[in-house]
Amino acid sequence: MPLTANNPDRKSWLHVDKNSDFPIQNIPFGVFLTRDDIVTIGTRIGDTAIDLGALHQLGYFEGIPLTDDIFLQDTLNDFIADGRKTWRAVRNRIADIFDSNNKTLKDNKHHKEIVLFRLDEIEMQLPVQIGDYTDFYSSIEHATNVGTMFRDPDNALLPNWLHIPVGYHGRSSSIIPSGIPVHRPQGQTLPNGADAPVFGPSRLVDFELEMAFITTDANDLGEPIPIKEAEEYIFGLVLLNDWSARDIQKWEYVPLGPFLAKSFASSISPWIVTLDALEPYRVEGPKPLKPQLEYLQFKGKKSYDINLEVSIRPSGAKETVVSKSNFKYMYWNMAQQLAHHTINGCPINSGDMMGSGTISGPTPDSYGSMLELSWRGEKPIKMKDGSERSFINDNDTVIMRGFCEKDGTRIGFGEVSTKLLPVFKRK
Ligand code: MN
């Protein structure tokens, strides 16, 4: 089925600002609470949210095989499970309904009142029920920086790193949408020079600039996904701030990897931008530095040119951009990650989420964490209000943004914005 929704010449009859992340070529999917307190599945064009449940009930998806209640749900899991053919048909139809040449909905005032919402009338929810969350470690710059700081600059990458997309199983119960604040976690840390740990608030709370992909039902137990099919099972991507407590992490991570230093919160942007919408922004990724085993070898462009940016907004002050990176720097791509994840026969379900790992670029201003940007706190970052940051302070808000741009069309993710609150206190 052709991807007519991506036609760069199409204009919408809905207003779209020039620098909007959400032109009619985007058509992301999300879940929101409406002004009438109803949860529905929707999309967004410009600054207008569109109730897909209402559109479906009014017959606008006629001819596409969809169950009656597919958009009247709290999550996108069932829609995602319908597969790529259905996602594509629905995106194409939405593009058609809102095309400036189509007057059907445009001239139906009553229908528009039911279907369209201003952004201040809705509240974005988590788009999917995330059954399983896996986080990779796929940026060579990030892995090299961390290895240089904590182990040995001459052997910064561990021997497995150039052969395996390294990952760990994360925690899905603490994944939250943009806008939900996070408390500074407490835990065990080992102060420098001490021989016993202490308990208290983490002093090194950090962000990790990541993207995450959301999967559909992919395989049965025991069945690996071949790398050439892997992208068929990727619905779309979100921005991910994988909150980390570096001091807790340093003490706990040996030998099984991160645990409580990561599971206190992971924040995602609420609109899932489909892999279909990102099709025009495919690029070559980094060349492998060592031969990769056959199940990880791929053909074609499997990386995506997505500009990424992180800002910190201190309480009551203006935000300061602290990092500019790009998703295309990832050494291991999503197809390799999914092929590797399933090579042992582990099943992947609709609504699973896979984090890329911190996305650091080659230059010091493109690093994807404060750990790297401030180089373990040795080089604090100057903020616009004159203060300095080595890590994240109480009441700081961390904002991540991402967008693709080519030939005058811009497709973006909006933002994931999260305030760090002081340690939780029982009332
Ligand atoms: Mn991470």
Side-chain angles (χ1 to χ4, degrees), residues 32-231:
F32 58 79
L33 199 61
T34 70
R35 57 192 167 222
D36 310 312
D37 248 7
I38 293 165
V39 177
T40 187
I41 286 170
T43 186
R44 170 176 177 176
I45 296 176
D47 287 341
T48 304
I50 296 156
D51 181 343
L52 296 181
L55 263 188
H56 189 24
Q57 281 183 319
L58 293 169
Y60 284 87
F61 292 112
E62 208 185 294
I64 301 174
L66 295 167
T67 53
D68 289 345
D69 63 348
I70 193 73
F71 296 126
L72 300 174
Q73 308 206 19
D74 295 353
T75 68
L76 279 157
N77 294 56
D78 287 355
F79 174 64
I80 294 173
D82 280 348
R84 178 168 299 269
K85 230 173 109 178
T86 303
W87 317 331
R88 200 169 273 196
V90 167
R91 262 184 89 248
N92 285 348
R93 180 65 60 87
I94 294 168
D96 187 43
I97 296 167
F98 292 92
D99 188 304
S100 54
N101 296 318
N102 188 337
K103 305 268 187 278
T104 313
L105 178 60
K106 186 187 178 194
D107 291 346
N108 192 324
K109 192 161 173 282
H110 176 60
H111 282 185
K112 282 200 291 189
E113 275 167 13
I114 298 169
V115 165
L116 305 181
F117 294 82
R118 292 194 316 268
L119 294 182
D120 61 8
E121 296 175 309
I122 64 164
E123 189 182 302
M124 296 305 296
Q125 312 288 301
L126 261 193
V128 277
Q129 167 137 29
I130 298 161
D132 275 306
Y133 161 41
T134 302
D135 196 24
F136 287 93
Y137 188 60
S138 287
S139 152
I140 194 166
E141 286 85 1
H142 174 68
T144 303
N145 288 338
V146 173
T148 300
M149 267 183 256
F150 291 114
R151 285 188 306 272
D152 173 8
D154 297 325
N155 295 289
L157 291 179
L158 287 168
N160 61 1
W161 201 91
L162 291 171
H163 300 281
I164 290 179
V166 171
Y168 72 97
H169 293 297
R171 183 81 191 165
S172 47
S173 66
S174 52
I175 298 175
I176 47 176
S178 178
I180 306 286
V182 171
H183 284 281
R184 177 179 298 274
Q186 302 196 78
Q188 281 196 34
T189 59
L190 186 69
N192 282 337
D195 52 15
V198 297
F199 178 84
S202 166
R203 287 146 46 110
L204 307 181
V205 173
D206 199 356
F207 60 78
E208 289 190 333
L209 169 62
E210 302 195 22
M211 302 216 61
F213 63 88
I214 310 287
T215 60
T216 183
D217 289 321
N219 58 332
D220 294 326
L221 183 72
E223 178 193 7
I225 301 172
I227 191 159
K228 64 175 189 311
E229 289 173 24
E231 285 188 334

